[in-house]
Structure formats: C-alpha cells, structure tokens
Amino acid sequence: MRAYSLIAPAKINLYLEIIGDRSDGYHELAMILQSIALSDRVDLRANGTDQIRVRCDDPLVPSDASNLAYRAADLIVQQFPESYRKFGGVDIAIEKRIPMGAGLAGGSANAAAVLVGLDLMWSLGLTQPELQDLAAQLGSDIPFCIAGGTAIATGRGEQLAPLPSPEHLHVVLAKYRSIAISTPWAYKAYRQQFGHSYISDPAEQKGRKQQMHSGAMVGAIAQRDGKRIGQLLHNDLEKVVLPTHPKVAELRQTLEKMNPLGVMMSGSGSTVFALVESSAQAEQIHQQLSAEIPDPDLGIWKTHLTASGVQVVS
Ligand code: C5P
C-alpha cells in the first residue's frame, strides 16, 4: 500500500525516579510509563519525489529536521537506501491533539508512528525489537510509544518490561498553553541541585532498578488498585519544575483539592494530571477546574488509560 493512517497515543508517567548519571551523559531512570487515549493522527503517503515533507494542522509544529517525525523518516531512509530508491519520498501529515512541551511525549509518539508506518509502507518486515532499537536512536521515550500500554522503563527509558494496563482508570490533564518546559533544562537543573545524591555505583544502580519490579507501584498496578496507584504517583522532576513554575504548582494544588485518586506532573511538565476512577468523575473535575481557574490559557483534557501503542487505522 502507498498510504497509511496511524493513531499515536500520548503517555503519562505514573512514576519517574532519577537514579544517577550514565556514561553517555543521560540519566539512569526507573519509570512507569502509561499510554493514554489522547492521540495524534499521522498520515503517511508516498509523494513521488525524493523528499520527506512534514505538515501539521498546528502551525507551531516545525516541518524541518527539528521535528522528530521528520528525523524518524530520515533514519529509515539512511538505514534502508534500497527501499528509499524503490519507493521514494514520503508526505507526513500530523493532526496535532497532544499538547506540546507538555511531558506527554507528543513528538515521540509521532516519530513512533512514522517508524511503524514506513515499516509497513516499504514492507521492511522489521520486528518490534528492531523497530524499538531504531526508535532508541531518536529519543528515550520512542521505544515505549511504539508498544504503548503500561511498562516499567529503565536505562535511559528505552529498556521496557510490560505490565498489565489499568485501563479502567481515567485522567484529567491540565496545562497552561503558554508554559512549555524543555526536557534537557529540567534534567540539567535536577543534576545541578540533586547530583550529590545520585547513585554512581553500577551494582547499586542495578539493584535500585530491579527493586522497581517488586515495588509497591507495580503491585498496585497488577491488582488494578486505583486508590493505591494514586497514592504512589511519583515524579522527581517536580522538585525542579514546581519551584520555578509557581503557576504549575498552584494548578497541582487546585487539582489535589478536588479529591482525585492522585495528582502528579507528567515527565518534565508542564502538564499536571489527576487520576480518577470514572469518566463521570473526570467530567466533574473538568468542570470544577474550569470554574475555579477561568483562564483561557489553561487547556483541560479528559481521557482514559489505554493498553494500546501506535495503531494502524487504514
Ligand atoms: O532522549 P530524549 O531526546 O527524549 O531526551 C531529551 C533530553 O532529556 C536529553 O537530551 C537529556 O537532557 C534528558 N534526558 C536525560 N536522561 C534520560 C532521558 C532524557 O538526561 N534518561
């Protein structure tokens, strides 16, 4: 087929712990990543030229090589030059629904969809581990975005162990549109403030990562215990983002007062999410929040947890 449409779901972090430094300059992490139904749509079409062209319904999304979706297509072109000669360039059209600079892996999800779509369009026959190896070259969250669902993510975030998905839970996401947080900035600020507490011994780092597998959060997820999951939400990056972005901290406090299962910032922010038991409760919190903070800059989304990663729709 010469064209594919794909759904690329966003993610939230149910858990994000920074363990220490890595020799490649990244951080060693222990996370639990969770796909949510809020998704972008990515359409791929052979364009009969030798170019990769990206367009998006949101004019703020770049169409050049700074767009991860472009870089994903370029990586496939570099890796499979014969297929590129045979099939030629590709048009990538993105319908943007996932907010940007939000800690929701929107750009990573688009790149994941391009990898999955080009594998199909060019009949490359890549296995999921092969696709995830390519994905890891582009960004730490992209391997997860391909498989989606719920997973323990360690290393840079690219080493994945799947968990059952607590799909019965819903979330309300809230983000000030004008506050976008740079992930490199958040990690750099964390290193400056908390670098002294990093675990540097590799054996100790390994032990900490292994503890994740038998940890309380994994137990709560396995038991589909929404209340406990809510209590155990954790994100080390809150320690640097909330003090520097008081509006995000206030938003978090406002959501907490509405008695959800739990509230946490996702990734490096600036999205704050409230985990809830039902779509009715999500609707109630949505209404309460828009009444309490009637700021047109505040975006609020209701969605639910999902077990799906990138899906091919046609
Ligand atoms: O891998 P990715 O490009 O998504 O990471 C964005 C930035 O986040 C990196 O450049 C790095 O500054 C930081 N990061 C990190 N440790 C990780 C993942 C990301 O320091 N494990």
Side-chain angles (χ1 to χ4, degrees), residues 22 25-29 138-141 155-157 183-184 187 191:
R22 293 166 54 93
Y26 281 71
H27 285 88
E28 195 66 34
L29 304 175
L138 295 165
S140 310
D141 284 341
R156 275 164 58 209
T183 304
Y187 278 101
R191 183 182 277 120

Side-chain angles (χ1 to χ4, degrees), residues 44 52-54 67-79 84 90 92 111 114-115 118 122 138:
L44 302 181
I52 300 164
R53 298 188 300 219
V54 177
N67 189 314
L68 269 175
Y70 182 101
R71 298 227 299 273
D74 196 41
L75 179 64
I76 295 283
V77 165
Q78 303 304 325
Q79 297 283 319
Y84 173 52
V90 60
I92 303 169
V114 169
L115 294 177
L118 274 181
W122 291 3
L138 295 165

